[in-house]
Amino acid sequence: ESTSLGEIIRSDFPILRQKVNGRDLVYLDNAATSQKPNYVLKALKDYYESSNSNVHRGVHYLSQKATTAYENAREKIADFINASDHTEIVFTRNATEAINLVANSWGDLNLGFGDEILLTVAEHHSAIVPWQIVAKKKGASLKYIGLTAGEVPDIEQLKKALSKKTKLVVTHHVSNTLGSVLPIEDIVIWSHEVGARVLLDACQSVPHMMVDVQKLNVDFLVASSHKMCGPTGIGFLYGKSNLLSSMPPFLGGGEMISDVFQDYSTYAEPPSRFEAGTPAIAEAIGLGAAIEYLSGIGMQRIHDYERELADYLYYSLTSVPNVRVYGPAPSEIIHRAALCSFNVENIHPTDIATILNEEYGVAIRSGHHCAQPLHRYFGVNASARASLYFYNTKEEVDHFIEALRETIKFFSI
Ligand SMILES: Cc1ncc(COP(=O)(O)O)c(CNc2co[nH]c2=O)c1O
């Protein structure tokens, strides 16, 4: 059997060599955050060792070196998602802040009484709560579409729910709980037909597959560095140039201004307009290194390998008696991300995750995965979730499944 991508690549990730309670760590919580390769760790260390300085407007050598590295990171992101211009990339703390930026800037300017924001019931809290806050302020409302019998967001229902009142569609590309992958190009075409804009939450897709914002034609896209081999503390908003240029600032301070007078200021052009204060320079450079690393492997290669892992995980997990997996069965039409949220009859998911960690060194997540509306939709408070990345292997899935069977036996005595 040929050596898998996971087996080839995992030596790049020092953390994966750890033991947990004497057992090899089996890290299956990648939808929460990914691990970091040596290439990224080195980029962070090199920055602080040889380039650290504050960015923009500095005339000395180090400031120019740091500025170049910071702006190069922005260009790498733009290329990675095929944005038409690097000024369409705004650095934020994470995807959550990127969504809040759109809600407080574009939302405040464009939402009014009676307007509707259309979401799926599977959205992450970061894609829901900012819109609840701005909708309350503006007299707008949130409208949700449910799931099909196959447990994917019902896009036919979405199409029917669109109307002249719909000003914005907020949707995930890949669900962090269902593992479902949505047909974004269609959703964008339907949304634009009624004059609605589309904000794509790509947190669980950008790390795992080619995402081309021009092909998808989304108006906004958000993603987080820490889910794609990059450091925490940095994420980004992609916004079409004409939209960003029309938007007022989100946070006020240095860097985002053109001139400051005593009682008013003029603002910089995007992206600086939305980047107040000293940015997370090292983190941006770390994200740029993560993109170089992923691109070096190839997103198609990563995606193909993860599809194998996705099917292997799904069918291994659904073969365990009394396990209920949420989300669609993989098929030719519907492919799943390499993550499965599940429950085991009469055993609390946190008990499952605790024993898997304590006795078997397996790291999965338990809880609501910041998707409480979706869990309520299924009539449960919580679930367990195993989520893989390209450095995981089928052997790790086998270890997880064996450990799960033992854990179920333990609780069934
Ligand atoms: C689909 C989706 N949207 C938004 C976010 C927010 O990203 P952040 O701003 O970087 O936190 C997450 C993080 N999801 C998870 C974080 O921890 N467990 C998770 O499933 C996510 O999975």
Side-chain angles (χ1 to χ4, degrees), residues 31-32 94-96 124 126 176 201 203-204 224 226-227 365 369 385:
N94 47 38
T96 302
H124 188 279
S126 298
N176 74 325
D201 174 354
C203 272
Q204 299 292 348
S224 271
H226 68 93
K227 297 190 192 283
R365 183 134 310 240
H369 317 310
R385 183 188 66 191

Side-chain angles (χ1 to χ4, degrees), residues 25-225:
L25 166 66
V26 175
Y27 182 77
L28 305 182
D29 193 23
N30 294 283
T33 199
S34 68
Q35 298 303 350
K36 320 307 170 191
N38 285 317
Y39 188 80
V40 169
L41 302 175
K42 186 178 180 307
L44 293 166
K45 186 167 182 286
D46 287 354
Y47 166 71
Y48 281 118
E49 279 182 348
S50 63
S51 307
N52 177 56
S53 175
N54 211 326
V55 291
H56 301 141
R57 295 183 311 287
V59 291
H60 62 76
Y61 168 69
L62 280 179
S63 179
Q64 288 168 353
K65 202 174 168 191
T67 301
T68 302
Y70 179 71
E71 289 305 329
N72 281 350
R74 190 190 311 274
E75 292 188 17
K76 285 171 192 157
I77 297 167
D79 294 344
F80 194 58
I81 61 169
N82 194 33
S84 59
D85 192 288
H86 68 280
T87 58
E88 296 182 310
I89 304 299
V90 177
F91 282 116
T92 59
R93 242 170 4 105
N94 47 38
T96 302
E97 184 177 271
I99 297 173
N100 278 275
L101 191 165
V102 179
N104 284 277
S105 173
W106 180 88
D108 194 57
L109 190 66
N110 292 281
L111 292 175
F113 186 78
D115 287 346
E116 285 179 358
I117 297 154
L118 191 56
L119 311 96
T120 83
V121 71
E123 295 316 305
H124 188 279
H125 294 165
S126 298
I128 295 174
V129 179
W131 299 108
Q132 289 174 335
I133 295 167
V134 73
K136 189 164 187 281
K137 218 167 91 179
K138 309 297 281 185
S141 61
L142 275 64
K143 203 170 178 181
Y144 291 85
I145 62 137
L147 305 183
T148 63
E151 299 190 354
V152 289
D154 188 337
I155 58 164
E156 288 309 314
Q157 191 191 3
L158 183 147
K159 192 173 181 180
K160 290 192 191 95
L162 287 164
S163 75
K164 287 293 173 213
K165 291 195 286 185
T166 318
K167 292 293 177 286
L168 182 72
V169 172
V170 178
T171 178
H172 61 277
H173 196 174
V174 174
S175 164
N176 74 325
T177 306
L178 299 171
S180 47
V181 185
L182 293 183
I184 299 304
E185 281 179 79
D186 294 340
I187 292 172
V188 170
I189 291 165
W190 303 335
S191 303
H192 286 176
E193 276 166 2
V194 300
R197 299 289 182 188
V198 178
L199 184 146
L200 183 64
D201 174 354
C203 272
Q204 299 292 348
S205 60
V206 166
H208 301 277
M209 61 178 72
M210 269 307 299
V211 173
D212 181 332
V213 289
Q214 294 188 64
K215 185 162 174 284
L216 297 176
N217 196 23
V218 292
D219 299 290
F220 299 106
L221 174 146
V222 303
S224 271
S225 157

